[in-house]
Amino acid sequence: MNRRDLLGLLALMAGAGCDGGSPAQAMAAPRVLPLWPDPPPGGGGPQGAPVSNRRGALDNIARPGLTLFPPDRPSDTAVLVASGGGYRRIEDGKEALPAARWLAAHGHVAAVLDYRLPGEDWGAGPAAPLQDARRALRLLNAGTMLPGIRRVGVLGFSAGAHLLALAAGPAPMGDYAAVDAADTAPARADAAALVYPVLSLSPALRPTSAQRLLVGRDPSPQLAAAWSAETYVEAGYPPTLLVQAADDPISDPREAPLMAAACRRAGVPAELHMLASGGHGFGMGRPGTPSAEWPGWLADFLAKFIKTPPG
């Protein structure tokens, strides 16, 4: 199944009200928009269309973009969603696309980010996906893609959580020269939800694909810290929801608690939910398992920190 097929299927299911989460409203047809008016900063990269495997995971991202899923009724809130995949692929089929459908059904504009992969020969190297995430936040905050947006949150899975957690703070690697008026808007997030996250690239934790691609197999403590999300948690960091399973075999189960501790030190509101089991890659939850509970926590979290009251 390719990306066009996935988008069509999601739009059809949403229009039929086919959602295990009992959606509050239907989802309008999604729109795919480019992030950059010209080639991305630094140039380079692959050619051709994205390649999708049978699970809907993408690579060969020659043109990074946003797929917007607006709710049926106008909304003044948007959530930027990034799938994981270890920075080797983007697991939209099992992560971002179901999340986008859930968000739109609950009254939020969902913006799925298909970011550049650092191993695909981009001139910006490991900073390429972070530049894309910062650009996406600016476009949403500027109202360039959807007018009337007042609050913006982020939702990241696995390596996508690493990407958006970095983008929500002042990490300098994602800087780029302004390309248009949208780049005068802040790369601001009002809330961050990070699910089975990769966040710290410390060599003291279990190594990940993200660590190998961004800082190498044996990074110095200084380099690892520069690419670790907890380094950039300060007083202005957004309120943060963290969800991870204690038996996660990919992301070290110490990742979410480390980030929660960094938030507490900075005085940032943080909610940490450690599941007794669930492993890695459970997306919006597996029915009949502890992971099925977490979308309810997300709904409460967004209602508290991102949904603007009427009037």
Side-chain angles (χ1 to χ4, degrees):
M1 181 179 288
N2 62 30
R3 182 167 180 76
R4 181 176 296 176
D5 294 336
L6 279 167
L7 293 174
L9 177 61
L10 283 169
L12 178 63
M13 292 173 69
C18 203
D19 190 329
S22 299
Q25 48 184 297
M27 183 183 73
R31 292 189 291 139
V32 183
L33 300 169
L35 274 182
W36 307 94
D38 296 307
Q47 301 295 316
V51 175
S52 175
N53 69 15
R54 60 184 177 83
R55 300 187 309 274
L58 305 177
D59 60 10
N60 201 68
I61 309 298
R63 196 179 191 200
L66 282 177
T67 303
L68 301 180
F69 294 77
D72 194 49
R73 301 189 195 107
S75 173
D76 64 358
T77 67
V79 180
L80 180 64
V81 189
S83 301
Y87 287 109
R88 296 183 182 278
R89 59 190 176 277
I90 301 176
E91 294 282 359
D92 280 353
K94 70 176 185 179
E95 292 175 346
L97 294 178
R101 182 166 152 257
W102 183 96
L103 287 162
H106 287 78
H108 304 287
V109 175
V112 173
L113 174 63
D114 286 334
Y115 50 91
R116 286 173 285 167
L117 296 169
E120 293 191 333
D121 297 323
W122 292 99
L130 186 51
Q131 290 176 338
D132 291 344
R134 288 268 168 75
R135 171 74 174 171
L137 284 171
R138 290 185 174 117
L139 288 169
L140 292 172
N141 280 298
T144 300
M145 292 184 163
L146 283 172
I149 296 298
R150 297 171 59 189
R151 306 275 284 174
V152 176
V154 298
L155 169 59
F157 299 86
S158 194
H162 176 263
L163 174 60
L164 295 185
L166 278 180
M173 301 83 70
D175 291 346
Y176 60 89
V179 298
D180 56 25
D183 282 326
T184 63
R188 186 195 79 246
D190 297 294
L194 310 172
V195 187
Y196 43 90
V198 175
L199 295 166
S200 176
L201 302 190
S202 168
L205 300 181
R206 182 186 299 151
T208 60
S209 173
Q211 183 196 71
R212 290 189 291 272
L213 276 168
L214 298 180
V215 298
R217 292 179 178 273
D218 188 25
S220 69
Q222 294 79 12
L223 181 60
W227 284 89
S228 293
E230 73 272 15
T231 301
Y232 302 101
V233 176
E234 53 188 32
Y237 201 80
T240 300
L241 172 72
L242 295 147
V243 181
Q244 189 169 19
D247 62 351
D248 192 326
I250 304 297
S251 178
D252 193 303
R254 292 172 287 179
E255 292 271 12
L258 278 172
M259 188 68 169
C263 289
R264 286 194 296 270
R265 288 194 299 271
V268 172
E271 296 180 20
L272 172 63
H273 297 273
M274 292 298 296
L275 305 176
S277 62
H280 193 83
F282 47 77
M284 294 303 290
R286 298 186 180 112
T289 73
S291 68
E293 294 186 57
W294 90 263
W297 304 332
L298 176 63
D300 292 343
F301 176 78
L302 293 176
K304 184 175 182 180
F305 289 111
I306 189 174
K307 188 71 174 179
T308 305

